[in-house]
Amino acid sequence: EIVMTQSPLSLPVTPGEAASISCRSSESLLHSNGYNYLEWYLQKPGQSPQVLIYLGSTRASGVPDRFSGSTSGTDFTLKISRVEAEDVGVYYCMQALQTPFTFGGGTKVEIK
Amino acid sequence: QVQLRESGPRLVKPSGTLSLTCVVSGVSISSSNWWSWVRQPPGQGLEWIGEIYHSGTTNYNPSLKSRLTMSIDNSKNQFSLRLTSVTAADTALYYCTRRDYYTSPNWGQGTLVIVSS
């Protein structure tokens, strides 16, 4: 199965500053249709995961444009341009190319 | 809009069978989507359980395959999960999800299942 390695484990952030989370896959997530099947989720405290990014870099409906996803081979990055207090929670990456789909271990984002 | 709602017993006895249903609204379950289950033990990360297509084709996580059965009811617009021989390790929040190849996935709110005598 594809292994997803996410870093850092914990990320203290200052509101208004930028932040980034990395995720590395053990195999390419590039489908023959040209899309990378990598998703980013945010799980706020006490809530179900909400999708932020799918197909590697497409923002889900309603997601603020301060969130962006990028790809470089098997390295994926989620960037928050200006962190807000409501962005706290645990972020997960997930590969959806090959079953069993697999998740990164999570990055806990908290306000300094 | 697409909505998914999980339902089922909150408490299951060890060695028993965990059964959950996901009722789908806003889209036909017979459309070109994969319907899946994901779980999250308390305080832990996410684990993909398996998926089913409207035709009945399934893909299961090998770690659960021997105990897992998924089914789909096109007439009721719902799909189900059945996990046998449960232990405390199966205690988790269970989420149902919808996905296809090109649009944003949808998740339910989740339902907590506790395995305990």
Side-chain angles (χ1 to χ4, degrees), chain B residues 74-86:
Chain B
N74 293 292
S75 66
K76 294 183 178 179
N77 223 48
Q78 64 185 39
F79 62 104
S80 300
L81 169 151
R82 187 170 177 269
L83 187 66
T84 61
S85 304
V86 296

Side-chain angles (χ1 to χ4, degrees), chain A residues 30-81:
Chain A
L30 184 62
H31 192 278
S32 56
N33 62 13
Y35 291 105
N36 279 285
Y37 279 79
L38 188 282
E39 297 164 4
W40 288 100
Y41 291 87
L42 165 59
Q43 186 171 33
K44 297 183 178 181
Q47 296 185 20
S48 63
Q50 59 183 92
V51 59
L52 299 173
I53 302 288
Y54 62 102
L55 298 179
S57 60
T58 302
R59 262 191 312 276
S61 176
V63 174
D65 60 7
R66 63 178 181 275
F67 290 94
S68 63
S70 62
T71 302
S72 177
T74 57
D75 290 326
F76 302 86
T77 303
L78 176 71
K79 293 182 180 176
I80 312 172
S81 58

Side-chain angles (χ1 to χ4, degrees), chain B residues 29-96:
Chain B
I29 206 163
S30 300
S31 56
S32 299
N33 292 292
W34 286 90
W35 307 96
S36 67
W37 293 92
V38 174
R39 70 180 182 178
Q40 183 174 36
Q44 297 185 39
L46 298 162
E47 178 183 33
W48 184 82
I49 297 172
E51 65 180 3
I52 186 167
Y53 199 60
H54 66 81
S55 61
T57 299
T58 55
N59 292 304
Y60 294 156
N61 192 319
S63 68
L64 298 168
K65 190 173 184 176
S66 63
R67 301 191 290 130
L68 182 62
T69 303
M70 293 179 64
S71 60
I72 197 162
D73 188 334
N74 293 292
S75 66
K76 294 183 178 179
N77 223 48
Q78 64 185 39
F79 62 104
S80 300
L81 169 151
R82 187 170 177 269
L83 187 66
T84 61
S85 304
V86 296
T87 69
D90 295 308
T91 293
L93 264 167
Y94 285 77
Y95 300 98
C96 58

